[in-house]
Amino acid sequence: MDPPKLRLGDAELPRVGLGTNRLTNTSEHVALVKDAVAAGLGHIDTAHTYARGESEETIGAALSPVADGVVVATKGGWGAGNGRPDVLRAQIEESLRRLRTETIALYYLHRVDPETRLEDSLGAIKEYRDSGKVRHVGLSEVGIDQIERAREVVPIAAVQNNYSLVERKHEDVVDYCAAEGIVFVPFFPLRGVGSRQLSEIADRHGASPAQIALAWLLWRSPTTLPIPGTLSLEHLKENLAALEIELSDAEFEALR
């Protein structure tokens, strides 16, 4: 049976991606990104702020032009004042340059700016969507009310929140996204992989606790796409192998 995939816009992606907040623009990391895609990775997540811009630069060096079936997501607007339209426009332009692309497949508002109306921030991103320089729009660390406000401005394709076995404050957002067909991207998905119960289930499946934690997130909702970060191709392949694990209902509930 083929591993489960998830539709994001016009792309069908394997349901485990890669977080790249530690990626730096070295030949080793450029090679890692190339090898990751060759190994079957379909979704790479970065941000304007990651590694002071080197994460985006590395991905651009490795993948430009991005192959069909691979979605590179980036984010802008981190920190008070950075959700202003003029700031976001400048950050989007810089991300386009670093990623060496004419179109960003998925662009998130990294955080809702306490100093700027959400609608104003998204209005600037919508300009780039309307011009074809951004294909899909996302939000990060938001609640349902903010998602609904955002959808009045622009279609929302993905929501990226902190969610894992041990961080469960966004249960309602997970369910909302599933009901609305919005991709839910858990960041820090591997927190809390040290429990005895997790290890026992991992042993039963001949898997690692991290793989079981990812399998749990995949079971949790049909629209989840976790993005564990790693600088190891071996670990990335292990993460992708979690797509092959099927937990029983009892195992899922035991961890829940």
Side-chain angles (χ1 to χ4, degrees):
M1 186 176 72
D2 290 334
K5 292 193 175 183
L6 183 64
R7 181 165 289 279
L8 178 59
D10 51 1
E12 276 203 338
L13 306 175
R15 288 182 60 200
V16 172
L18 174 66
T20 63
N21 62 329
R22 294 181 293 149
L23 207 61
T24 54
N25 198 5
T26 63
S27 58
E28 293 82 5
H29 288 184
V30 170
L32 170 70
V33 173
K34 290 181 176 180
D35 291 342
V37 170
L41 182 78
H43 182 50
I44 300 176
D45 181 89
T46 184
H48 181 267
T49 55
Y50 289 174
R52 300 169 304 281
E54 288 192 42
S55 177
E56 289 181 329
E57 290 172 352
T58 306
I59 294 164
L63 299 185
S64 180
V66 177
D68 290 343
V70 177
V71 168
V72 175
T74 192
K75 315 176 200 73
W78 172 276
N82 285 318
R84 297 201 322 266
D86 60 322
V87 175
L88 278 169
R89 291 185 191 104
Q91 292 187 1
I92 292 170
E93 291 292 343
E94 192 163 25
S95 291
L96 286 162
R97 178 183 60 77
R98 291 172 179 168
L99 291 168
R100 305 186 190 183
T101 186
E102 294 181 356
T103 303
I104 295 169
L106 174 58
Y107 192 86
Y108 291 93
L109 180 63
H110 204 163
R111 289 293 186 273
V112 176
D113 183 356
E115 299 178 1
T116 307
R117 289 177 68 246
L118 175 60
E119 289 80 1
D120 293 340
S121 298
L122 288 170
I125 298 173
K126 181 179 183 295
E127 293 171 12
Y128 280 82
R129 183 179 182 273
D130 291 346
S131 70
K133 292 185 177 182
V134 165
R135 191 168 297 125
H136 301 290
V137 178
L139 300 166
S140 184
E141 276 299 277
V142 288
I144 292 172
D145 58 334
Q146 292 168 318
I147 301 170
E148 291 185 334
R149 283 174 57 195
R151 295 176 80 186
E152 293 292 319
V153 179
V154 66
I156 298 299
V159 169
Q160 182 175 142
N161 284 3
N162 186 1
Y163 186 77
S164 66
L165 276 168
V166 297
E167 177 50 78
R168 308 280 283 283
K169 66 184 176 184
H170 291 299
E171 296 279 19
D172 60 338
V173 178
V174 177
D175 292 334
Y176 175 88
C177 288
E180 297 295 320
I182 296 170
V183 177
F184 182 82
V185 180
F187 69 84
F188 296 144
L190 297 182
R191 285 187 170 168
V193 298
S195 73
R196 180 181 58 81
Q197 199 164 39
L198 192 65
S199 296
E200 289 175 355
I201 294 173
D203 289 344
R204 199 178 303 149
H205 284 268
S208 69
Q211 287 174 318
I212 298 300
L214 291 173
W216 186 89
L217 287 168
L218 298 175
W219 201 107
R220 171 65 181 84
S221 160
T223 68
T224 50
L225 201 172
I227 49 167
T230 182
L231 296 177
S232 161
L233 183 62
E234 179 183 356
H235 287 162
L236 181 135
K237 289 179 177 179
E238 288 178 6
N239 292 338
L240 289 173
L243 293 166
E244 307 284 354
I245 298 171
E246 291 190 30
L247 300 180
S248 69
D249 291 355
E251 288 170 334
F252 175 81
E253 291 298 337
L255 292 171
R256 184 168 188 161

